[in-house]
Amino acid sequence: MTQKPNKLQPAIIGGLVLGILSSIPFVNFANICCCIWVVLGGMIAARMLIKRSPVLAVTSGEGAVVGALAGVVGALITLVIGLPVSLLIGDSISIGMLEWFAGVVNDPQARDEIIKVIEETRRQAEMQSIGQRLVGSLFFWFIGAVVTVGFATVGGILGVALFEKRKNQPAPPAPPAPGWNQPPGTPGLAPPSPPPGPMPPPDQPPYGGGEPPRH
Amino acid sequence: MLKSSLKLAASTYAAPLTYAAALALALAWLCGIIAAPLLSEGEGAASLLYYAYSRVCHQLPERSFHAAGHAFGVCARCFGIYAGFAAGLMVYPFVRSITRTDLPARRWLLCGIVPLAVDFLGGYAGLFENSLASRASTGAIAGGAVAFYTLPGLVSMLRLWLGKNEPHAATHSQAIFDGGKQ
């Protein structure tokens, strides 16, 4: 019987992609485009699952599962890599990014709002102890992890929608019913032809005894 | 006994439960985006909301809709995507059965994403000037299209979790979104 492929390896690979890209400073800014790295990680996991399933088509539910698993892996990677990085240099990067935004924005009112956020970020960075920042970061990491799993799940479903081309294939043929006198694990074989030799009399069964095989 | 009864009940109502949960989450997400500017007069809740949405959006004020003098929790394009997603979920039962787990044809997803891609890339390359309306409307088309793929995937996932085997061939009657292949 054809076995379904294991989802763990595709999930790990997809999770590695989304976790690492979401942890590297500046590279992770692409996630402001609707978590593009996260969705991409889910799609990569779905694509890998499809490649590892040469016989059976991958269903949308399987794509969702592998996407969700990739999201979990990615969230754990951001916990291990991204959280320490953000604790060490996160404020500097945030302030630098906001200053860049303030430079490119044309609207004076918007610029004033961004400057207020910069000042608030600096004030909070100075006031909070490392313990408070760690607790806060863990809390916000958890919120981010839930969002990551959700978006990666959607990415997995979209990956199946885009890459799985076997949607309308007929189901694999059912194995023959027991009683064919065949070794197990050989579905789809024709019943053996009668042995050569003289034909038995009409009142005797063709295979030398017993009931004829039933379908 | 109780566990198997609960499992049987859950598998029977998997599709409606999934639909209700997905719609509730989508509307809650959307409400948070709109609530952020309305709560901005007080500090705590608004800051939390803006921070949460900052993980998924640049929140540039000049590219966002405003309410009560403050920007929405996300930009116009993102707001369009999430509003379109919620609207797509609301329209879904009138177009397709919520119990279906097969996905619509791929071309509908691509048709939904292309306007967004054109608006984004064209504006980024300076070919034309896009606006809040163009960003929101192309985002809404993409979000609506994604909803028609997300719901059957979630229903299929829940059924997998409950141990119901999924057919590998499409077994439902033809529908406009399936290109007549079923």
Side-chain angles (χ1 to χ4, degrees):
Chain A
M1 185 175 164
T2 307
Q3 282 193 329
K4 292 201 173 188
N6 193 338
K7 295 182 181 64
L8 197 56
Q9 191 176 355
I12 289 173
I13 293 172
L16 273 171
V17 169
L18 85 88
I20 290 172
L21 291 175
S22 300
S23 300
I24 300 172
F26 299 108
V27 174
N28 61 3
F29 287 153
N31 274 335
I32 61 173
C33 298
C34 276
C35 290
I36 192 80
W37 293 142
V38 178
V39 173
L40 190 70
M43 290 173 84
I44 288 172
R47 171 85 173 130
M48 301 270 329
L49 185 65
I50 290 166
K51 285 186 85 169
R52 289 165 63 86
S53 181
V55 176
L56 296 174
V58 172
T59 65
S60 55
E62 289 166 336
V65 168
V66 79
L69 288 173
V72 170
V73 171
L76 290 173
I77 291 174
T78 56
L79 177 66
V80 170
I81 299 176
L83 196 67
V85 169
S86 73
L87 280 174
L88 288 171
I89 59 173
D91 288 326
S92 310
I93 293 174
S94 297
I95 290 169
M97 190 71 188
L98 286 167
E99 284 171 347
W100 179 79
F101 273 143
V104 300
V105 155
N106 296 325
D107 181 14
Q109 189 182 356
R111 197 179 304 126
D112 289 341
E113 280 194 39
I114 294 173
I115 290 171
K116 275 188 205 167
V117 172
I118 293 172
E119 285 166 5
E120 178 65 22
T121 306
R122 280 204 178 109
R123 190 180 65 82
Q124 284 191 0
E126 284 161 10
M127 278 175 54
Q128 285 177 338
S129 67
I130 192 72
Q132 284 174 319
R133 291 174 65 188
L134 181 63
V135 169
S137 295
L138 282 171
F139 174 71
F140 287 119
W141 167 82
F142 180 75
I143 295 175
V146 173
V147 173
T148 296
V149 171
F151 276 77
T153 303
V154 173
I157 296 169
L158 295 180
V160 169
L162 289 172
F163 302 125
E164 180 56 87
K165 295 179 179 126
R166 299 167 294 180
K167 287 185 184 92
N168 294 321
Q169 277 189 354
W180 276 107
N181 199 24
Q182 291 179 7
T186 53
L189 291 180
S193 53
M199 291 294 292
D203 59 342
Q204 281 195 7
Y207 291 102
E211 290 286 320
R214 293 170 191 246
H215 293 271
Chain B
M1 179 73 178
L2 178 63
K3 193 177 172 185
S4 59
S5 302
L6 284 172
K7 210 171 178 182
L8 179 63
S11 68
T12 306
Y13 298 106
L17 284 173
T18 307
Y19 176 74
L23 185 59
L25 277 171
L27 290 173
W29 185 264
L30 206 57
C31 284
I33 291 171
I34 300 170
L38 300 176
L39 294 171
S40 281
E41 296 309 316
E43 283 277 327
S47 300
L48 189 64
L49 284 171
Y50 278 118
Y51 183 86
Y53 290 115
S54 70
R55 315 313 274 171
V56 300
C57 183
H58 52 70
Q59 295 177 317
L60 283 173
E62 64 180 11
R63 295 195 172 191
S64 305
F65 294 118
H66 284 66
H70 298 276
F72 274 16
V74 296
C75 69
R77 182 171 285 128
C78 289
F79 177 74
I81 290 171
Y82 300 129
F85 185 84
L89 284 180
M90 286 191 270
V91 166
Y92 191 101
F94 301 102
V95 178
R96 246 176 157 239
S97 169
I98 62 172
T99 58
R100 292 179 71 165
T101 56
D102 55 309
L103 299 177
R106 189 182 342 174
R107 61 175 172 272
W108 297 111
L109 179 63
L110 295 172
C111 285
I113 291 174
V114 161
L116 176 75
V118 167
D119 182 72
F120 176 78
L121 293 171
Y124 189 78
L127 296 175
F128 51 80
E129 184 125 354
N130 46 23
S131 62
L132 292 183
S134 72
R135 294 188 193 112
S137 54
T138 53
I141 293 168
V146 167
F148 277 81
Y149 293 82
T150 303
L151 184 64
L154 293 176
V155 173
S156 177
M157 181 172 78
L158 185 59
R159 285 187 176 162
L160 267 180
W161 182 59
L162 292 170
K164 279 187 93 159
N165 292 325
E166 290 298 319
H168 287 275
T171 55
H172 301 278
S173 56
Q174 292 185 1
I176 187 169
F177 283 97
D178 301 317
K181 286 186 180 177
Q182 297 179 20

